[in-house]
């Protein structure tokens, strides 16, 4: 591929004629949303039938409110991103709706409620309705982002602003006293006036913008061939500076914020965006080796000297043998494993299990509570939905015409997939437990809002990827977000679109 200077199209609208109109496929999105609402309505009815003993007359109210919210989001996308991928919104709506429905199901098992009072439980209260409110806030944020960011390339103008903001958001919980930032040992939060905010959820998006811009600018240098080993070309030793710097930052997160998942998230998204930018698999091997080496070092230092390494060492010990301390430090993980085991293949049925026996089932362990009631088959369906969401994001990365969009969309998609892996791996004893929340499922506002902003960015990039080119591509003219400007240097990309 060769770099070519592409001038902005003339203001008078002359030049190449517009191509034949391509379908926006918004009706496909609408049909999938209707299918999702049908699933959520059936789920709500089954939950009430099992948890209450009868299906009350207002079981449909929360699914109807969800339908209104996502219907409004669908209409906004029709105007703001008409060529966006038609699968992304319905896939997220299904996961988000199941999360709201399950939190409503947990409201029925509150110890404050008698069996007779469950049928009278208001749909306008409890964790379920609170999560529905956060869903509305998150959707408003995603639509506002689509309105403000008309061209994803405009974000690349402010890389250092986003990078500095991301670093500040990462550092704030680490420097605050534990009483204002720690929950269950992990310093990931800001607690004030009865509210908690997880700034790291927003930091990952800001840092990803910086990483994408930096790696696009330095891809030629970072892609230079160095020594060969086992058939792979590794980078030159003097080019390892950026990955070592981010590795050290991720270890500081592991040690001072005491959370493996957040550390893995930051380092993983940098290494993957580096791989996408340079197309060298050796970076993945270097990144994995550095991270595993750092984790083992932190574990053995915690065993030997304690101090800031002690928390991670204890978590790793609990992960290796949760039944050795099943009544104390291993209690959460043991109950999680029992819940998943009780569910078996098909589960006990929505509303028929005992998910509240798992601590923190509405946040960190919501996947375990769901697993007891919908079983392995249901959890597999949820994971496939996440996988489909990541796949559509990667498809947008392949199709978008500019290199920044490719690296950015690939990083956004990987971030979502890695977060799911980290939390599901933790509750199933594949990796040590982390402080991450399951995207779109777990209760909480900061995670939900941040992940919907991530989805808004993916919708914007997929709109640019699927939108037919008019004239010649540029940052000005009649393209989305255009406003005139100097010629832009882009890479010639294949024009075939994978749909």
């Amino acid at each position: 591929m060769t770099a070519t200077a592409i001038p902005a199209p003339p203001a008078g609208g002359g030049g190449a004629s517009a191509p034949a109109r391509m379908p926006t496929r918004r009706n496909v999105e609408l049909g999938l949303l209707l299918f999702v609402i049908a699933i959520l309505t059936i789920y709500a009815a089954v939950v009430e039938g099992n948890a209450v003993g009868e299906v009350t007359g207002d079981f449909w109210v929360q699914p109807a409110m969800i339908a209104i919210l996502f219907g409004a989001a669908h209409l906004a996308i029709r105007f703001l991103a008409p060529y966006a991928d038609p699968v992304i919104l319905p896939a997220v709506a299904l996961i988000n709706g199941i999360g709201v429905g399950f939190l409503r199901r947990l409201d029925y098992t509150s110890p404050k409620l008698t069996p007779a009072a469950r049928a009278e439980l208001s749909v306008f209260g409890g964790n379920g309705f609170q999560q529905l409110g956060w869903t509305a806030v998150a959707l408003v944020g995603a639509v506002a982002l689509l309105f403000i960011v008309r061209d994803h390339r405009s974000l690349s103008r402010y890389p250092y602003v986003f990078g500095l903001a991301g670093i500040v958001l990462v550092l704030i919980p680490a420097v605050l006293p534990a009483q204002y930032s720690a929950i269950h040992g992990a310093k990931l939060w800001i607690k004030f006036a009865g509210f908690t905010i997880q700034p790291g959820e927003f930091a990952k998006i800001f840092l990803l913008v910086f990483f994408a811009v930096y790696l696009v600018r330095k891809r030629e240098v970072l892609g230079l061939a160095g020594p060969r080993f086992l058939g792979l070309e590794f980078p030159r030793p003097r080019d390892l500076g950026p990955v070592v710097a981010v590795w050290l930052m991720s270890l500081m997160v592991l040690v001072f914020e005491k959370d493996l998942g957040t550390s893995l998230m930051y380092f993983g998204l940098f290494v993957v965006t580096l791989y996408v930018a340079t197309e060298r698999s050796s970076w993945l091997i270097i990144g994995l080796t550095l991270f595993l080496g750092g984790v083992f070092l932190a574990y053995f230092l915690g065993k030997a000297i304690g101090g800031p390494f002690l928390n991670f060492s204890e978590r790793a010990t609990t992960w290796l043998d949760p039944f050795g301390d099943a009544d104390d430090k291993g209690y959460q993980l043991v109950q999680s494993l029992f819940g998943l085991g009780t569910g078996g293949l098909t589960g006990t049925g929505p509303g028929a299990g005992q998910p509240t026996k798992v601590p923190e089932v509405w946040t960190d362990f919501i996947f375990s509570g769901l697993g007891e009631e919908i079983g392995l088959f249901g959890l597999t369906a949820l994971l496939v939905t996440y996988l489909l969401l990541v796949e559509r994001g990667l498809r947008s990365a392949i199709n978008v015409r500019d290199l920044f969009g490719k690296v950015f969309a690939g990083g956004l998609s990987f971030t979502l997939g890695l977060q799911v892996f980290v939390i599901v791996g933790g509750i199933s004893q594949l990796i040590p437990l982390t402080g991450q929340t399951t995207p779109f499922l777990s209760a909480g506002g900061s995670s939900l809002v941040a992940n919907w902003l991530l989805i808004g960015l993916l919708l914007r990039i997929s709109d640019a990827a699927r939108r037919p080119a008019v004239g010649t591509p540029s940052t000005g003219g009649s393209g989305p977000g255009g406003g005139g400007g100097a010629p832009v240097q882009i890479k010639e990309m294949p024009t075939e679109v994978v749909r």
Side-chain angles (χ1 to χ4, degrees):
M1 296 184 294
T2 58
T4 5
I6 306 296
S17 59
R21 180 175 176 82
M22 294 179 62
T24 62
R25 307 192 72 181
R26 298 274 63 83
N27 289 336
V28 174
E29 181 180 85
L30 178 60
L32 290 174
L33 278 176
L34 292 175
F35 179 63
V36 166
I37 297 304
I39 293 175
L40 298 180
T41 304
I42 294 171
Y43 179 80
V46 175
V47 163
E48 283 207 356
N50 286 327
V52 180
E54 61 175 306
V55 179
T56 62
D58 58 359
F59 81 95
W60 56 271
V61 174
Q62 280 200 355
M65 289 189 285
I66 293 173
I68 292 172
L69 290 177
F70 288 108
H74 165 75
L75 291 176
I77 292 173
R78 277 186 178 267
F79 290 98
L80 298 175
Y83 289 94
D85 192 295
V87 178
I88 292 178
L89 181 65
V92 184
L94 176 61
I95 301 170
N96 200 160
I98 290 292
V100 172
F102 184 72
L103 292 173
R104 167 71 175 173
R105 178 260 176 278
L106 294 178
D107 291 336
Y108 286 123
T109 55
S110 170
K112 299 178 182 179
L113 290 177
T114 63
R118 293 176 183 173
E120 305 298 327
L121 184 66
S122 172
V123 296
F124 300 105
N127 289 322
F129 185 73
Q130 186 179 43
Q131 187 74 351
L132 191 60
W134 280 118
T135 301
V137 172
L139 283 171
V140 169
V143 170
L145 185 146
L146 286 174
F147 180 78
I148 296 170
V149 182
R150 297 301 181 99
D151 188 340
H152 63 275
R153 292 172 294 184
S154 63
L155 298 175
S156 65
R157 299 172 187 167
Y158 315 103
Y160 296 105
V161 173
F162 284 111
L164 180 62
I167 292 173
V168 170
L169 289 175
V170 171
L171 291 178
I172 288 176
V175 300
L176 286 177
Q179 60 179 328
Y180 298 112
S181 63
I183 296 179
H184 302 304
K187 297 185 66 177
L188 300 173
W189 306 84
I190 299 174
K191 299 188 288 185
F192 66 96
F195 293 93
T196 57
I197 298 175
Q198 194 170 359
E201 293 287 345
F202 301 93
K204 65 187 180 186
I205 299 177
F206 293 160
L207 289 175
L208 193 52
V209 175
F210 172 74
F211 290 158
V213 176
Y214 172 80
L215 294 173
V216 166
R217 291 177 179 176
K218 301 293 184 181
R219 68 185 297 265
E220 301 295 341
V221 175
L222 295 172
L224 290 176
R228 291 181 64 88
F229 181 70
L230 297 178
L232 291 174
E233 288 186 348
F234 284 82
R236 300 176 302 175
R238 64 175 177 266
D239 296 330
L240 293 175
V243 72
V244 171
V246 178
W247 173 66
L248 291 174
M249 186 187 81
S250 69
L251 289 184
M252 291 175 63
V253 171
L254 176 65
V255 172
F256 295 106
E257 296 194 355
K258 302 178 176 62
D259 186 65
L260 174 67
T262 304
S263 174
L264 177 60
M265 178 74 64
Y266 296 145
F267 188 64
L269 68 88
F270 177 76
V271 172
V272 168
T273 51
L274 179 56
Y275 166 69
V276 173
T278 62
E279 301 178 10
R280 288 197 176 277
S281 54
S282 55
W283 282 115
L284 298 178
I285 298 174
I286 293 171
L288 186 62
T289 303
L290 283 174
F291 188 79
L292 290 178
V295 166
F296 278 109
L297 179 64
Y299 173 72
F300 288 115
L301 286 176
K303 287 286 188 182
I305 64 175
F309 304 97
L310 182 60
N311 181 274
F312 173 71
S313 178
E314 290 178 345
R315 284 199 175 202
T317 302
T318 301
W319 164 61
L320 292 170
D321 184 19
F323 292 93
D325 193 9
D327 293 328
D328 187 13
K329 294 179 180 178
Y331 182 74
Q332 281 184 306
L333 184 54
V334 167
Q335 291 302 314
S336 171
L337 296 174
F338 279 144
L340 292 172
T342 303
L345 291 177
T346 57
T348 59
Q354 295 179 307
T356 52
K357 289 186 177 294
V358 181
E360 308 293 337
V361 70
W362 54 89
T363 53
D364 296 12
F365 288 85
I366 194 169
F367 220 76
S368 298
L370 272 169
E372 180 186 1
E373 297 195 340
I374 63 177
L376 178 62
F377 292 159
L379 289 185
T380 301
L382 268 180
L383 289 176
V384 168
T385 306
Y386 278 116
L387 182 63
L388 179 64
L389 187 56
V390 173
E391 184 270 336
R392 302 305 286 200
L394 293 176
R395 180 171 296 192
S396 299
I398 293 172
N399 290 338
V400 73
R401 298 172 182 86
D402 64 290
L403 190 54
F404 168 73
K406 290 180 179 294
V407 177
F408 191 38
L412 290 172
S413 304
F414 174 79
T415 298
L416 184 61
L418 181 61
Q419 191 168 347
V420 175
F421 166 77
V422 164
I423 187 63
V424 175
I427 60 102
S428 60
Q429 207 189 349
L430 181 63
I431 61 174
L433 283 172
T434 70
Q436 295 291 312
T437 55
T438 313
F440 309 110
L441 273 180
S442 299
S446 53
S447 173
L448 191 61
V449 171
N451 283 307
W452 266 109
L453 293 178
L454 185 152
I455 292 300
L457 291 168
L458 278 181
L459 288 170
R460 173 54 67 213
I461 296 173
S462 69
D463 175 69
R466 300 167 64 89
R467 181 182 295 270
V470 179
T472 53
S474 79
T475 55
S478 59
V488 59
Q489 196 81 2
I490 68 167
K491 292 286 184 180
E492 290 181 357
M493 299 294 178
T495 56
E496 181 181 357
V497 175
V498 182
R499 297 193 181 276

